[in-house]
mmCIF file of all heavy atoms in Angstrom:
data_model
loop_
_atom_site.group_PDB
_atom_site.id
_atom_site.type_symbol
_atom_site.label_atom_id
_atom_site.label_comp_id
_atom_site.label_asym_id
_atom_site.label_seq_id
_atom_site.Cartn_x
_atom_site.Cartn_y
_atom_site.Cartn_z
ATOM 1 N N ASN A 29 -15.327 60.348 70.025
ATOM 2 C CA ASN A 29 -14.348 60.833 69.070
ATOM 3 C C ASN A 29 -14.318 62.354 68.970
ATOM 4 O O ASN A 29 -14.082 62.908 67.912
ATOM 5 C CB ASN A 29 -14.572 60.195 67.690
ATOM 6 C CG ASN A 29 -13.305 60.214 66.869
ATOM 7 O OD1 ASN A 29 -12.204 60.296 67.403
ATOM 8 N ND2 ASN A 29 -13.446 60.158 65.572
ATOM 9 N N GLU A 31 -12.697 65.290 71.511
ATOM 10 C CA GLU A 31 -11.996 65.547 72.762
ATOM 11 C C GLU A 31 -12.125 67.018 73.144
ATOM 12 O O GLU A 31 -12.284 67.872 72.282
ATOM 13 C CB GLU A 31 -10.513 65.178 72.626
ATOM 14 C CG GLU A 31 -10.260 63.749 72.212
ATOM 15 C CD GLU A 31 -10.457 63.491 70.725
ATOM 16 O OE1 GLU A 31 -10.318 64.395 69.909
ATOM 17 O OE2 GLU A 31 -10.780 62.350 70.396
ATOM 18 N N TRP A 33 -9.632 68.428 75.182
ATOM 19 C CA TRP A 33 -8.349 68.683 75.831
ATOM 20 C C TRP A 33 -7.994 70.156 75.725
ATOM 21 O O TRP A 33 -8.306 70.817 74.743
ATOM 22 C CB TRP A 33 -7.221 67.907 75.160
ATOM 23 C CG TRP A 33 -7.364 66.439 75.114
ATOM 24 C CD1 TRP A 33 -7.794 65.605 76.106
ATOM 25 C CD2 TRP A 33 -7.062 65.607 73.997
ATOM 26 N NE1 TRP A 33 -7.764 64.308 75.683
ATOM 27 C CE2 TRP A 33 -7.328 64.284 74.394
ATOM 28 C CE3 TRP A 33 -6.592 65.843 72.732
ATOM 29 C CZ2 TRP A 33 -7.127 63.206 73.547
ATOM 30 C CZ3 TRP A 33 -6.398 64.775 71.884
ATOM 31 C CH2 TRP A 33 -6.666 63.472 72.304
ATOM 32 N N TRP A 38 -2.077 68.022 76.824
ATOM 33 C CA TRP A 38 -1.375 67.352 75.720
ATOM 34 C C TRP A 38 0.004 66.916 76.198
ATOM 35 O O TRP A 38 0.898 67.740 76.370
ATOM 36 C CB TRP A 38 -1.238 68.292 74.524
ATOM 37 C CG TRP A 38 -2.524 68.567 73.836
ATOM 38 C CD1 TRP A 38 -3.594 69.220 74.353
ATOM 39 C CD2 TRP A 38 -2.888 68.186 72.523
ATOM 40 N NE1 TRP A 38 -4.597 69.276 73.427
ATOM 41 C CE2 TRP A 38 -4.197 68.648 72.298
ATOM 42 C CE3 TRP A 38 -2.234 67.492 71.506
ATOM 43 C CZ2 TRP A 38 -4.864 68.447 71.098
ATOM 44 C CZ3 TRP A 38 -2.905 67.303 70.313
ATOM 45 C CH2 TRP A 38 -4.201 67.767 70.120
ATOM 46 N N LYS A 43 2.384 58.857 71.930
ATOM 47 C CA LYS A 43 2.250 58.318 70.576
ATOM 48 C C LYS A 43 0.915 57.609 70.472
ATOM 49 O O LYS A 43 0.501 56.930 71.418
ATOM 50 C CB LYS A 43 3.344 57.302 70.258
ATOM 51 C CG LYS A 43 4.728 57.887 70.116
ATOM 52 C CD LYS A 43 5.744 56.776 69.824
ATOM 53 C CE LYS A 43 7.123 57.356 69.648
ATOM 54 N NZ LYS A 43 7.471 57.558 68.251
ATOM 55 N N ILE A 44 0.255 57.780 69.323
ATOM 56 C CA ILE A 44 -0.949 57.009 69.033
ATOM 57 C C ILE A 44 -0.808 56.414 67.638
ATOM 58 O O ILE A 44 -0.133 56.988 66.779
ATOM 59 C CB ILE A 44 -2.246 57.839 69.150
ATOM 60 C CG1 ILE A 44 -2.221 59.052 68.215
ATOM 61 C CG2 ILE A 44 -2.497 58.252 70.583
ATOM 62 C CD1 ILE A 44 -3.540 59.807 68.159
ATOM 63 N N ARG A 45 -1.398 55.251 67.442
ATOM 64 C CA ARG A 45 -1.371 54.570 66.150
ATOM 65 C C ARG A 45 -2.802 54.406 65.671
ATOM 66 O O ARG A 45 -3.705 54.124 66.442
ATOM 67 C CB ARG A 45 -0.716 53.196 66.279
ATOM 68 C CG ARG A 45 -0.713 52.404 64.975
ATOM 69 C CD ARG A 45 -0.221 50.979 65.159
ATOM 70 N NE ARG A 45 -0.851 50.252 66.231
ATOM 71 C CZ ARG A 45 -2.044 49.640 66.146
ATOM 72 N NH1 ARG A 45 -2.771 49.693 65.041
ATOM 73 N NH2 ARG A 45 -2.529 48.969 67.185
ATOM 74 N N SER A 46 -2.974 54.549 64.377
ATOM 75 C CA SER A 46 -4.308 54.425 63.792
ATOM 76 C C SER A 46 -4.644 52.984 63.452
ATOM 77 O O SER A 46 -3.780 52.105 63.465
ATOM 78 C CB SER A 46 -4.390 55.245 62.504
ATOM 79 O OG SER A 46 -3.656 54.607 61.459
ATOM 80 N N LEU A 47 -5.883 52.791 63.106
ATOM 81 C CA LEU A 47 -6.278 51.573 62.403
ATOM 82 C C LEU A 47 -5.658 51.642 61.015
ATOM 83 O O LEU A 47 -5.173 52.690 60.589
ATOM 84 C CB LEU A 47 -7.802 51.510 62.280
ATOM 85 C CG LEU A 47 -8.567 51.397 63.595
ATOM 86 C CD1 LEU A 47 -10.056 51.602 63.342
ATOM 87 C CD2 LEU A 47 -8.317 50.044 64.226
ATOM 88 N N SER A 94 -3.857 63.394 53.166
ATOM 89 C CA SER A 94 -5.171 63.613 53.782
ATOM 90 C C SER A 94 -5.653 62.382 54.541
ATOM 91 O O SER A 94 -6.102 62.482 55.695
ATOM 92 C CB SER A 94 -6.200 63.990 52.719
ATOM 93 O OG SER A 94 -5.848 65.197 52.107
ATOM 94 N N ALA A 95 -5.578 61.219 53.917
ATOM 95 C CA ALA A 95 -6.045 59.994 54.565
ATOM 96 C C ALA A 95 -5.144 59.626 55.740
ATOM 97 O O ALA A 95 -5.621 59.235 56.809
ATOM 98 C CB ALA A 95 -6.100 58.847 53.557
ATOM 99 N N GLY A 96 -3.841 59.744 55.553
ATOM 100 C CA GLY A 96 -2.903 59.395 56.620
ATOM 101 C C GLY A 96 -3.096 60.238 57.859
ATOM 102 O O GLY A 96 -3.103 59.720 58.980
ATOM 103 N N LEU A 97 -3.274 61.540 57.690
ATOM 104 C CA LEU A 97 -3.503 62.395 58.841
ATOM 105 C C LEU A 97 -4.892 62.183 59.411
ATOM 106 O O LEU A 97 -5.089 62.200 60.622
ATOM 107 C CB LEU A 97 -3.288 63.863 58.481
ATOM 108 C CG LEU A 97 -1.831 64.317 58.635
ATOM 109 C CD1 LEU A 97 -0.887 63.551 57.764
ATOM 110 C CD2 LEU A 97 -1.714 65.790 58.435
ATOM 111 N N GLY A 98 -5.860 61.965 58.546
ATOM 112 C CA GLY A 98 -7.218 61.722 59.014
ATOM 113 C C GLY A 98 -7.324 60.491 59.895
ATOM 114 O O GLY A 98 -8.143 60.443 60.810
ATOM 115 N N LEU A 99 -6.474 59.504 59.649
ATOM 116 C CA LEU A 99 -6.518 58.280 60.446
ATOM 117 C C LEU A 99 -6.195 58.512 61.923
ATOM 118 O O LEU A 99 -6.650 57.758 62.782
ATOM 119 C CB LEU A 99 -5.552 57.240 59.867
ATOM 120 C CG LEU A 99 -5.997 56.560 58.577
ATOM 121 C CD1 LEU A 99 -4.849 55.751 57.976
ATOM 122 C CD2 LEU A 99 -7.204 55.667 58.836
ATOM 123 N N VAL A 100 -5.392 59.514 62.221
ATOM 124 C CA VAL A 100 -5.046 59.792 63.623
ATOM 125 C C VAL A 100 -5.466 61.195 64.063
ATOM 126 O O VAL A 100 -5.065 61.656 65.126
ATOM 127 C CB VAL A 100 -3.535 59.583 63.917
ATOM 128 C CG1 VAL A 100 -3.180 58.124 63.930
ATOM 129 C CG2 VAL A 100 -2.674 60.366 62.966
ATOM 130 N N ALA A 101 -6.269 61.852 63.247
ATOM 131 C CA ALA A 101 -6.711 63.200 63.607
ATOM 132 C C ALA A 101 -7.585 63.151 64.847
ATOM 133 O O ALA A 101 -8.387 62.237 65.025
ATOM 134 C CB ALA A 101 -7.490 63.821 62.451
ATOM 135 N N THR A 102 -7.405 64.127 65.687
ATOM 136 C CA THR A 102 -8.299 64.275 66.828
ATOM 137 C C THR A 102 -9.365 65.294 66.456
ATOM 138 O O THR A 102 -9.177 66.116 65.568
ATOM 139 C CB THR A 102 -7.543 64.749 68.084
ATOM 140 O OG1 THR A 102 -6.998 66.042 67.834
ATOM 141 C CG2 THR A 102 -6.451 63.772 68.466
ATOM 142 N N ASN A 103 -10.462 65.224 67.129
ATOM 143 C CA ASN A 103 -11.546 66.173 66.929
ATOM 144 C C ASN A 103 -11.650 67.055 68.167
ATOM 145 O O ASN A 103 -12.706 67.239 68.737
ATOM 146 C CB ASN A 103 -12.858 65.429 66.670
ATOM 147 C CG ASN A 103 -12.784 64.644 65.384
ATOM 148 O OD1 ASN A 103 -12.414 65.182 64.352
ATOM 149 N ND2 ASN A 103 -13.101 63.367 65.437
ATOM 150 N N TYR A 128 -1.223 52.965 57.516
ATOM 151 C CA TYR A 128 -1.582 53.330 58.889
ATOM 152 C C TYR A 128 -0.671 54.468 59.305
ATOM 153 O O TYR A 128 0.333 54.753 58.646
ATOM 154 C CB TYR A 128 -1.497 52.141 59.854
ATOM 155 C CG TYR A 128 -0.107 51.596 60.071
ATOM 156 C CD1 TYR A 128 0.693 52.046 61.117
ATOM 157 C CD2 TYR A 128 0.415 50.618 59.231
ATOM 158 C CE1 TYR A 128 1.970 51.536 61.313
ATOM 159 C CE2 TYR A 128 1.682 50.100 59.429
ATOM 160 C CZ TYR A 128 2.457 50.564 60.467
ATOM 161 O OH TYR A 128 3.717 50.062 60.667
ATOM 162 N N SER A 129 -1.026 55.142 60.377
ATOM 163 C CA SER A 129 -0.287 56.333 60.798
ATOM 164 C C SER A 129 0.062 56.279 62.279
ATOM 165 O O SER A 129 -0.663 55.692 63.078
ATOM 166 C CB SER A 129 -1.126 57.592 60.537
ATOM 167 O OG SER A 129 -1.431 57.710 59.177
ATOM 168 N N ILE A 130 1.160 56.949 62.602
ATOM 169 C CA ILE A 130 1.561 57.147 63.993
ATOM 170 C C ILE A 130 1.750 58.643 64.204
ATOM 171 O O ILE A 130 2.453 59.306 63.436
ATOM 172 C CB ILE A 130 2.853 56.381 64.327
ATOM 173 C CG1 ILE A 130 2.593 54.878 64.241
ATOM 174 C CG2 ILE A 130 3.379 56.786 65.715
ATOM 175 C CD1 ILE A 130 3.811 54.013 64.466
ATOM 176 N N ARG A 131 1.088 59.156 65.244
ATOM 177 C CA ARG A 131 1.218 60.563 65.620
ATOM 178 C C ARG A 131 2.006 60.614 66.926
ATOM 179 O O ARG A 131 1.721 59.856 67.863
ATOM 180 C CB ARG A 131 -0.153 61.189 65.832
ATOM 181 C CG ARG A 131 -0.081 62.615 66.368
ATOM 182 C CD ARG A 131 -1.433 63.090 66.869
ATOM 183 N NE ARG A 131 -1.243 64.248 67.725
ATOM 184 C CZ ARG A 131 -1.649 65.466 67.418
ATOM 185 N NH1 ARG A 131 -2.291 65.691 66.296
ATOM 186 N NH2 ARG A 131 -1.420 66.456 68.256
ATOM 187 N N THR A 132 2.993 61.513 66.989
ATOM 188 C CA THR A 132 3.790 61.709 68.193
ATOM 189 C C THR A 132 3.733 63.178 68.593
ATOM 190 O O THR A 132 4.069 64.049 67.782
ATOM 191 C CB THR A 132 5.261 61.307 67.952
ATOM 192 O OG1 THR A 132 5.299 59.954 67.493
ATOM 193 C CG2 THR A 132 6.089 61.449 69.221
ATOM 194 N N SER A 149 4.384 65.084 65.136
ATOM 195 C CA SER A 149 4.805 64.465 63.874
ATOM 196 C C SER A 149 3.765 63.432 63.458
ATOM 197 O O SER A 149 3.102 62.817 64.298
ATOM 198 C CB SER A 149 6.171 63.792 64.011
ATOM 199 O OG SER A 149 6.095 62.678 64.865
ATOM 200 N N TYR A 150 3.627 63.288 62.161
ATOM 201 C CA TYR A 150 2.778 62.255 61.576
ATOM 202 C C TYR A 150 3.652 61.422 60.656
ATOM 203 O O TYR A 150 4.310 61.966 59.762
ATOM 204 C CB TYR A 150 1.648 62.869 60.748
ATOM 205 C CG TYR A 150 0.572 63.519 61.565
ATOM 206 C CD1 TYR A 150 0.738 64.793 62.101
ATOM 207 C CD2 TYR A 150 -0.628 62.864 61.808
ATOM 208 C CE1 TYR A 150 -0.247 65.394 62.842
ATOM 209 C CE2 TYR A 150 -1.630 63.465 62.545
ATOM 210 C CZ TYR A 150 -1.437 64.731 63.059
ATOM 211 O OH TYR A 150 -2.425 65.321 63.794
ATOM 212 N N GLU A 151 3.671 60.134 60.893
ATOM 213 C CA GLU A 151 4.377 59.201 60.027
ATOM 214 C C GLU A 151 3.328 58.263 59.445
ATOM 215 O O GLU A 151 2.569 57.646 60.186
ATOM 216 C CB GLU A 151 5.399 58.398 60.816
ATOM 217 C CG GLU A 151 6.498 59.260 61.419
ATOM 218 C CD GLU A 151 7.349 58.472 62.392
ATOM 219 O OE1 GLU A 151 6.825 58.093 63.453
ATOM 220 O OE2 GLU A 151 8.533 58.231 62.062
ATOM 221 N N VAL A 152 3.296 58.184 58.128
ATOM 222 C CA VAL A 152 2.358 57.289 57.449
ATOM 223 C C VAL A 152 3.177 56.133 56.889
ATOM 224 O O VAL A 152 4.199 56.342 56.218
ATOM 225 C CB VAL A 152 1.582 58.016 56.329
ATOM 226 C CG1 VAL A 152 0.615 57.062 55.638
ATOM 227 C CG2 VAL A 152 0.845 59.231 56.894
ATOM 228 N N HIS A 165 2.717 68.672 62.216
ATOM 229 C CA HIS A 165 1.505 69.482 62.292
ATOM 230 C C HIS A 165 1.619 70.440 63.462
ATOM 231 O O HIS A 165 1.935 70.025 64.578
ATOM 232 C CB HIS A 165 0.295 68.561 62.480
ATOM 233 C CG HIS A 165 -1.015 69.262 62.413
ATOM 234 N ND1 HIS A 165 -2.170 68.679 62.874
ATOM 235 C CD2 HIS A 165 -1.389 70.470 61.936
ATOM 236 C CE1 HIS A 165 -3.190 69.505 62.687
ATOM 237 N NE2 HIS A 165 -2.740 70.601 62.127
#
Side-chain angles (χ1 to χ4, degrees):
N29 203 23
E31 303 78 26
W33 302 317
W38 290 65
K43 290 179 179 263
I44 58 173
R45 177 187 50 82
S46 73
L47 296 170
S94 297
L97 272 60
L99 286 170
V100 287
T102 63
N103 296 309
Y128 66 93
S129 300
I130 294 176
R131 174 193 163 113
T132 304
S149 67
Y150 288 79
E151 297 170 292
V152 180
H165 187 196

